[in-house]
Each structure stands twice: as structure tokens, then as C-alpha cells.
Amino acid sequence: MEGTYVTGSVEETKDLAKEFAKELKEGITLCLNGELATGKTTFTQGLGEYFGLDRMTSPTYVIVHQYPINPPESLIKTFYHVDLYRLKNYWEIRAFSLDELWSEKSNLIVVEWPERLETYLPKSRYEINFKTLGADSREVTLKLI
Ligand SMILES: Nc1ncnc2c1ncn2[C@@H]1O[C@H](COP(=O)(O)OP(=O)(O)OP(=O)(O)O)[C@@H](O)[C@H]1O
Ligand SMILES: [Mg+2]
């Protein structure tokens, strides 16, 4: 699913994420770009709800949260929510061995502040951009590259 969408509430951003999640293949990385409070974590929570996860909090302080996906029919077995906001350079990021995560096909990896990783991101990935339009409205652009 690609395109540009405008949401008018937290619930609508989560609903968009759930629509998007329906078509997601295993082994994909989602890069969530956008300024503070544009809805990156909200969108991730919507994805999590689609996979049956209901207690997702922002991993800003721990960098990576890992959630098992339980339904046996799901090809995605582990959901990683990564927030690089507090990391300063690639060497700090290496400590988390993120490159090992890309190589496991059954992982879904969602990265907030992916620009911290620059050229080390997997070549094939979704670039998702968030923009604040007004108090309750956000523009979300989904693109597979
Ligand atoms: N349409 C909308 N979609 C998502 N969030 C919205 C919307 N309208 C208002 N908001 C508000 O914007 C904020 C979004 O917060 P969220 O944590 O998802 O942002 P973020 O991009 O992850 O920020 P950060 O860069 O700090 O991690 C929340 O306070 C939420 O209530
Ligand atoms: Mg966030």
C-alpha cells in the first residue's frame, strides 16, 4: 500500500496503520520519518494492534522493544519497535546489532528516527513520512523503495 493520506485523529492514524498492515510481507523494514509528535509511535501502535499487541510504549530510552507475534498463521513472528532518537552515531547504534535483525526474514522492524542509521538501512524498505497539518491532522506518505 502506497500513497499520501490525511488523518484527523489518533484513531484514524491507527486505522491507517491497520489497513497498511494487512498487506505487509515478512522481512520488511519500515522507516518512520517526521518531526517530534507527528504520529510515528501512534502509527506503530496501530500496527501492533493489528498483530494483537495492545501495550506498546515508546522505546525511546531502551532503543529497542521486541514483541513476539503469536497467531501461528502469521509469517511475521517478531515485531521490533526501534527508536533511535537518543543515539548519536552509528557506533552507538552498532551496540544493538540491528543489522542482525534485518537478516531474519520473520521479523517486522519499525524504526523511528531512521536517519540516524543513514546508509546502513536495508535497501528495500518502506519510507513513511509524517507531517503535522493542524492540531489533530497529520499527513502520512507511504512509499516502498
Ligand atoms: N491525526 C493524528 N495522528 C496521530 N497523532 C495525533 C493526531 N492528531 C493529534 N495527535 C497527537 O500527536 C501526538 C503524536 O505522538 P507520537 O508519540 O505518535 O509522535 P512521534 O512522531 O512518535 O513523536 P516522537 O518523535 O517524540 O517519538 C500525540 O500527542 C497525539 O495525541
Ligand atoms: Mg515516537
Side-chain angles (χ1 to χ4, degrees):
M1 177 173 157
E2 294 189 277
T4 299
Y5 301 83
V6 174
T7 67
S9 66
V10 164
E11 275 319 307
E12 278 184 29
T13 295
K14 287 186 182 176
D15 287 347
L16 176 65
K18 288 175 203 167
E19 236 1 82
F20 175 73
K22 283 184 193 167
E23 294 176 17
L24 268 185
K25 299 218 165 55
E26 68 275 20
I28 191 83
T29 295
L30 315 182
C31 293
L32 310 191
N33 305 286
E35 295 301 314
L36 289 166
T38 46
K40 303 181 294 295
T41 298
T42 304
F43 187 89
T44 308
Q45 287 168 339
L47 293 173
E49 284 174 19
Y50 176 84
F51 289 105
L53 310 171
D54 57 358
R55 282 177 197 278
M56 298 185 90
T57 53
S58 182
T60 304
Y61 293 94
V62 291
I63 314 300
V64 183
H65 278 166
Q66 177 188 13
Y67 303 91
I69 304 296
N70 292 319
E73 68 277 13
S74 175
L75 295 173
I76 295 169
K77 302 294 181 197
T78 314
F79 187 126
Y80 286 92
H81 183 193
V82 181
D83 187 339
L84 302 176
Y85 183 67
R86 295 174 62 83
L87 293 192
K88 287 178 189 61
N89 58 52
Y90 180 64
W91 300 104
E92 257 182 17
I93 290 167
R94 284 215 40 177
F96 292 91
S97 303
L98 293 178
D99 13 13
E100 285 171 27
L101 302 187
W102 322 135
S103 57
E104 175 52 58
K105 275 270 169 262
S106 61
N107 290 342
L108 170 63
I109 304 157
V110 179
V111 187
E112 295 189 45
W113 299 96
E115 53 268 56
R116 302 281 198 273
L117 269 173
E118 294 172 16
T119 55
Y120 301 99
L121 293 164
K123 283 198 177 59
S124 175
R125 59 187 192 259
Y126 266 100
E127 285 290 340
I128 306 181
N129 296 309
F130 296 81
K131 210 158 91 182
T132 295
L133 299 179
D136 291 322
S137 77
R138 302 288 184 270
E139 185 187 85
V140 185
T141 303
L142 310 158
K143 191 167 174 49
L144 184 63
I145 64 166

